[in-house]
Amino acid sequence: MLRNIAYFIFFSCNSLSLCAQRTVMYNQRDLDVKWQLIENNYQNLGKTQSSFTFTNNGKVNFPSKGWVIYFTSSREIDSAAATGAVIISHVNGDQYKITPTSDFKDIKPKDSVRIKYFSNDVLINYTAAPCGLYIVWDTNLEKGIVLDNFRISPLINTTTGLVTPEKIFNQNKLIRDIPEKELPKIFPTPLFYKETADTFILDANTTIKANDEFKKEAKYLAGELNVLFHKNELNIPDNYREAKIILEKSEMNKEAYKLSVSGQQIIISASTGAGIFYGIQSLRSMILSTSNNSKKNIIKIPAVQVQDEPRFGYRALMMDVARNFIPKSEVLKILDLMAMYKMNILHFHFSDDEGWRIEIPSLPELTSIGSVRGHTLDSKKMLPVSYASGPDAGKLPGSGYFTRNDFIEILKYANERHIEVLPEIETPGHSRAAIKAMDARYEKFIKQGNKEEAEKYLLHDVNDKSVYSSAQKWNDNVMCVALPSVYTFIEKIADEFLSMYQEAGAPLTTIHMGGDEVPEAVWEKSPICQQLISTDSSVKNTDDLWYYYFKKVNAILKSKGLYLSGWEEVGMRKTILDGKKKMIVNPRFANDNMQIHVWNNMVGWGNEDLPYRLANAGYKVVLSPVSNNYFDLAYYKSPDEPGYYWGGFQDIDKPFYFIPFDYYKNTKEDAAGNSVDLSYFVGKDRLTDFGKSNIVGIEGLIWSENLRNNDQFEYLLFPKLLGLAERAWAKSPEWAEANDLKSYHQLYDSAWSVFVNVIGKRELRRLNYMAGAVKYRIPTPGAISINGKVFANIQFPGLTIRYSTNGKEPVQKSPVYHEAITQKGEIKLRAFDYNGRPGRTITINNL
């Protein structure tokens, strides 16, 4: 208890020798802190005014000095404009602190102080509010204590254009409710599917026979059937003739398969284990669309003929476990779900400024320092607080890492499901966790008098005086690319990963080396960098250090039989246009063993055609568009929807309607949600036939800044991921090929209805019990009042809408919406999934 109480000493007279000391304790649990949005676009200046209100609920004064309150904020705060006799100043990254000035007065019991301040941009939802408040008393500067009584006031009238129940109703009104028996039974949509009149009876005794090279897939299928029928043993007989499910080899494309179901047998044929595995997933899709989670004795499967293969060979999900840690159990769960939907690449973003999450035993500081966040003044023992991780070191999700054995287990698990894991080592920017870890290693060996070992993996120039600020407001997060030890480090890490992959028996063909968001002014005042510029004729200025770095890194990976993956900036260079620096495609690396993940195509930013320009120039491109596939963005413009919105808003329709080879054709809005006309893309580079050959696939991305637990992670990821799975696997849809708007809209509306019915009536049901119950987002109902009647609809037919008229939240026993509601007054509506789990309630007034 005493560790959570601050002590302050006051004196009753001027002479210390004559007066008695009186100790007064203040318990910070008595301090109530309320945050409130005051006004967006304050006086049309493009900034937001907000406030903190401190209320003293204790019995003694809250002191005028001797404390600092820390918090994190995704909004950049104007440090010079705070009221209330305090200074709000930037610490590093997303961390800020509130410090009282000499004019700050004690807060008496029951009194309050309001502190107003300004931040950049508009504030739309709770994600943009400050969070993670804690206090540090002068009596112990190394100890931070969480302020438990912090609350965020309701966000009212945050901005214009918010999504309303009426808007949702109008979005949903073109959706047809299609009977389940008429829906496709395999998802993602196969290339060819035909049902016949027969039925196969699947039961607990159904046996499996496989070619020798498909034994792994046979074992996987047997395990899945055992789960379905609650069995333990595997039904894989030695006698081929006894088998009811046959996995056989047949020459076809790498990931292609055929699935034949008759009344007597199921035959899955393919040329590779991957093709067999995808055939198994289609069979599972059919099984699960005709069953539920209750125990079954038999399952009837309709006879079908299926021929299928993916449109793209690269179908990826990027999972960020660096900003906030995601536990191994959740990673394995996601791998199961990726396998269900025939995705084959897990892009594992394990390192960033805020964390290094994979153990390298020979470099223990990477996890002893780089995986731990907590209150620190110097980052020597741990990383600082970020993303509301709080002052206490070792707590999830700010802290955490995968042991070497954990990661090998993940690799094995993925490999069994024909998923390759792409590790990402963020360099040379976004590298603060690694930099600080190697600083700690440096200090350890310097104290031992071993200068050579201390400098072996050092990642920054200790004499660098460059002043810069990264996109996430870090001022010390970039490696010094002129240091030979940087390349020693990279080679060491590459070797360690090769060793882990070899031990796991998993393929490793490439390492993603990051390459994004290196800020302006970096390296300019580094003596080591400037010395390199003066001695190496290939490096003429600071900007050339970029090419110097990636040329060397690429050579390291090539020497190990790997190719380099990276973000789009790897394929860009700076030049001067009209006296200003401009990024253009760099032809230097186009045919040099590199694969580029391109995220920046946002309308209004000037690089709308960047993915196509890079592909046309010869780079192998993975489409990773912020416009359609950034799943950590909020579903729509509402104060109650969590997620960032700097790149717009993304519901499941965004990845579904993305046209990989011509996304100009149906881009609907910019980052602010404003409508976009096709004329906007006049003059932009289009994708050439040569460029199309360089589009290797599609990636969805989920960054973890705002993920505090697994439920939030799954809420933002599902069901959006299913839109990506469909677009990455299925052939180019008819609506994408339509040449006129009328045909496009007719075909798209029909396809959209089928898709959302499949999701609502089949796939959400599967998610309820596959890989554990997935906490996907349940959409809010659409609702509208017309002539005294309330009409409602839902994005995913199959979910249940319930309502209340008594002012209380609808519950599972509330009336089900079947027809227009005629009762007057306030109507509350809420959607429920198949297990009775509710979504968010919406309210509409029926006048």
Side-chain angles (χ1 to χ4, degrees), residues 498 508-510 554-564 593:
L498 281 164
L508 180 64
T509 57
T510 179
N554 195 32
I556 291 172
L557 296 187
K558 277 184 177 181
S559 72
K560 301 178 187 302
L562 304 172
Y563 66 88
L564 186 150
N593 205 43

Side-chain angles (χ1 to χ4, degrees), residues 714-786:
E714 293 177 8
Y715 180 96
L716 286 168
L717 184 57
F718 290 97
K720 295 176 188 177
L721 185 70
L722 307 191
L724 170 68
E726 174 71 3
R727 197 52 53 236
W729 180 275
K731 69 177 183 179
S732 180
E734 288 184 69
W735 51 264
E737 308 295 333
N739 292 320
D740 62 273
L741 279 177
K742 182 178 179 181
S743 297
Y744 167 82
H745 286 298
Q746 288 177 343
L747 291 168
Y748 178 82
D749 291 345
S750 177
W752 175 244
S753 284
V754 172
F755 175 73
V756 293
N757 273 269
V758 167
I759 300 304
K761 295 179 179 179
R762 296 248 167 103
E763 298 312 312
L764 296 187
R765 190 176 292 173
R766 296 177 78 195
L767 293 178
N768 276 355
Y769 61 91
M770 287 302 300
V774 177
K775 296 295 180 67
Y776 55 82
R777 177 183 181 267
I778 298 171
T780 54
I784 193 168
S785 176
I786 302 175

Side-chain angles (χ1 to χ4, degrees), residues 235-281:
N235 286 331
I236 306 177
D238 294 328
N239 188 338
Y240 193 92
R241 293 179 181 177
E242 292 180 4
K244 293 293 185 181
I245 301 178
I246 299 172
L247 311 181
E248 65 179 23
K249 189 173 181 65
S250 179
E251 289 307 313
M252 56 187 77
N253 290 336
K254 180 181 176 182
E255 294 184 300
Y257 70 91
K258 292 181 181 179
L259 170 62
S260 175
V261 180
S262 67
Q264 292 74 42
Q265 247 179 1
I266 296 174
I267 300 174
I268 301 174
S269 54
S271 64
T272 65
I276 292 291
F277 187 78
Y278 299 136
I280 290 171
Q281 298 311 315

Side-chain angles (χ1 to χ4, degrees), residues 293-308:
N293 199 27
S294 59
K295 184 176 180 179
K296 294 282 188 178
N297 293 321
I298 65 167
I299 295 175
K300 295 180 179 181
I301 302 176
V304 295
Q305 294 294 320
V306 179
Q307 296 181 32
D308 199 12

